[in-house]
Amino acid sequence: MKQPEIDYRAVFQALPGAVALLTPQLFFADVNKEWLRVVNRSRERVIGHYMPDDYADTPNHPNAAVARNIGESLRRVARTGRAEIMELQRFDPTGITVRPRTVEARFWSITNIPVPDADGRVAMLLHRVADVTELIQARAVALSLQEAMLPAPRAIGHHPVAVRYRPAVRALEVGGDWYDLVDLPGDRLGVAVGDVVGHGLSAATVMGQLRSALSAASRSCGGPARALEILELYADSVVGAENTTVASALIDWETRHITYSSAGHPPPALLRSDGTVEFLDRATDPPLGARLDRGPWAQATVPFTEGAFLVLYTDGLIERRNEDIDTGLSRLAASLARHRGTQAEAGDLADALLADLLPSTGLGDDTALVIVPL
């Protein structure tokens, strides 16, 4: 059968999104119709135009910095021959027509791809723009909902607990990470962190329900294990709650003991006053809804001395793609031990951990961190 002749120009024009083809020197060689619509220009004004000239006469324009970012990315791609997906870029709508009556800023996801010649050298640059404003707005709503459902950082009695929450910067949807602090009678504190599977408004909604249920159970059930047992029963009726992980601990300053229980969550870390680190991993069951035996949850108790810190966190702090979780735990332990002598305050220690452990390229997953000075 004879292969059909392919009209590559027609294919280029039909590509989804706004697509431009540039020379390695950043001159426009071709653009599709969607590109012309998005930038609101005629083809004659674009073809042969030098991209860095955009906003050259108005360097203080809000979009001038974006144009510089794009130019720098394209030059790197031309030099290295490696494709780049840029961080999201925020565009001012002035002079740009995306859709009728649109006046709010737009967010664009930009991909720059090298096109090699027969000898493998970069001959052209494919520059694709996708409008992701609606996704970003949806993520902002979910993030606002999530933040509204989390307790505000505050001192519990005379214990200045430090909490930090960092959303994933590359993901377009918020996750279901949470933390909770429960002031209990006597000099006691209940503290928990959890992680709902999934992203977006549904995960944030499930997170809010589970956090509230665990908070109530922790106030009335007499210990972390019983509280998780009650939470699992409640989670059975919540769509999307299955496989949620939770770590729950009860700190008692009168007896100087920590009682803890975990539902498939990374183990809390106890940073002792001598700088040694112990992971509290002797009371771990599967995530919510994943246990075959619905008997009592495992629970363990460990003593502590003054000057120690209890650290609870979600997996965004330690897990990395294609890396064993033990590597991440070792990295956390080393960072805790390294900063024990220099960070006397819980907040300082929290900031030092985030600076050490979060990737400079941005988070691939949300991260919640709670540090309690003991």
Side-chain angles (χ1 to χ4, degrees):
M1 180 179 177
K2 183 180 178 181
Q3 292 294 324
E5 219 174 277
I6 301 175
D7 185 343
Y8 286 98
R9 184 172 183 79
V11 171
F12 178 77
Q13 289 296 324
L15 288 174
V19 183
L21 199 62
L22 296 98
T23 69
Q25 295 76 34
L26 307 192
F27 287 90
F28 284 96
D30 203 356
V31 294
N32 68 356
K33 293 179 180 179
E34 181 65 8
W35 178 275
L36 297 176
R37 188 189 72 82
V38 167
V39 301
N40 194 28
R41 292 181 183 176
S42 66
R43 185 175 178 82
E44 291 72 26
R45 287 185 59 194
V46 175
I47 302 304
H49 175 76
Y50 182 50
M51 177 180 271
D53 282 347
D54 290 344
Y55 305 103
D57 296 331
T58 54
N60 294 324
H61 191 284
N63 294 340
V66 176
R68 289 192 294 270
N69 293 341
I70 293 173
E72 291 170 1
S73 174
L74 286 166
R75 291 187 185 96
R76 282 194 300 271
V77 173
R79 184 176 65 253
T80 65
R82 294 193 296 269
E84 281 193 10
I85 300 176
M86 297 181 62
E87 296 288 347
L88 295 182
Q89 301 293 311
R90 183 182 187 274
F91 278 80
D92 186 277
T94 304
I96 297 177
T97 301
V98 180
R99 62 185 61 189
R101 301 187 183 91
T102 295
V103 295
E104 74 272 11
R106 311 301 298 176
F107 292 89
W108 287 356
S109 173
I110 299 174
T111 306
N112 297 319
I113 303 171
V115 180
D117 60 18
D119 297 324
R121 294 173 297 193
V122 177
M124 302 296 291
L125 300 168
L126 190 67
H127 175 63
R128 182 180 183 274
V129 174
D131 188 340
V132 295
T133 305
E134 292 182 1
L135 290 175
I136 293 299
Q137 291 172 338
R139 181 184 189 272
V141 171
L143 182 57
S144 297
L145 174 63
Q146 185 178 37
E147 290 178 342
M149 290 188 292
L150 294 176
R154 68 191 192 281
I156 305 296
H158 59 276
H159 305 290
V161 178
V163 298
R164 300 289 186 270
Y165 177 78
R166 296 292 184 270
V169 298
R170 291 185 180 273
L172 294 180
E173 294 185 315
V174 72
D177 293 22
W178 91 82
Y179 62 87
D180 192 36
L181 304 169
V182 178
D183 196 8
L184 297 170
D187 198 5
R188 298 187 303 157
L189 171 68
V191 56
V193 293
D195 188 358
V196 173
V197 175
H199 297 85
L201 286 172
S202 59
T205 301
V206 172
M207 175 274 288
Q209 294 179 77
L210 295 183
R211 189 197 70 80
S212 297
L214 180 59
S215 185
S218 298
R219 286 175 164 85
S220 59
C221 292
R226 179 59 178 159
L228 287 183
E229 184 178 343
I230 297 298
L231 180 65
E232 184 173 52
L233 292 174
Y234 174 76
D236 287 342
S237 64
V238 178
V239 176
E242 60 275 4
N243 293 316
T244 293
T245 67
V246 187
S248 179
L250 172 62
I251 306 167
D252 189 330
W253 275 274
E254 293 182 356
T255 65
R256 293 198 176 278
H257 280 83
I258 300 169
T259 303
Y260 65 93
S261 185
S262 175
H265 201 82
L270 178 59
L271 173 60
R272 297 191 179 278
S273 55
D274 62 0
T276 58
V277 177
E278 177 183 352
F279 286 106
L280 307 187
D281 57 4
R282 293 187 291 111
T284 300
D285 277 309
L288 298 183
R291 296 193 306 160
L292 297 179
D293 178 10
R294 288 298 185 97
W297 285 79
Q299 182 170 286
T301 300
V302 61
F304 66 85
T305 57
E306 185 176 357
F309 292 89
L310 180 64
V311 182
L312 293 90
Y313 52 92
T314 55
D315 56 11
L317 187 70
I318 60 168
E319 290 188 356
R320 300 293 176 265
R321 188 174 297 177
N322 301 320
E323 182 180 271
D324 188 272
I325 189 174
D326 288 339
T327 302
L329 291 173
S330 297
R331 189 164 49 236
L332 170 59
S335 180
L336 284 169
R338 182 165 57 253
H339 293 293
R340 175 63 188 90
T342 58
Q343 311 294 337
E345 301 293 331
D348 294 336
L349 181 58
D351 293 334
L353 287 181
L354 294 180
D356 267 4
L357 303 178
L358 298 188
S360 58
T361 54
L363 285 173
D365 194 8
D366 292 12
T367 296
L369 173 65
V370 181
I371 299 183
V372 185
L374 303 174

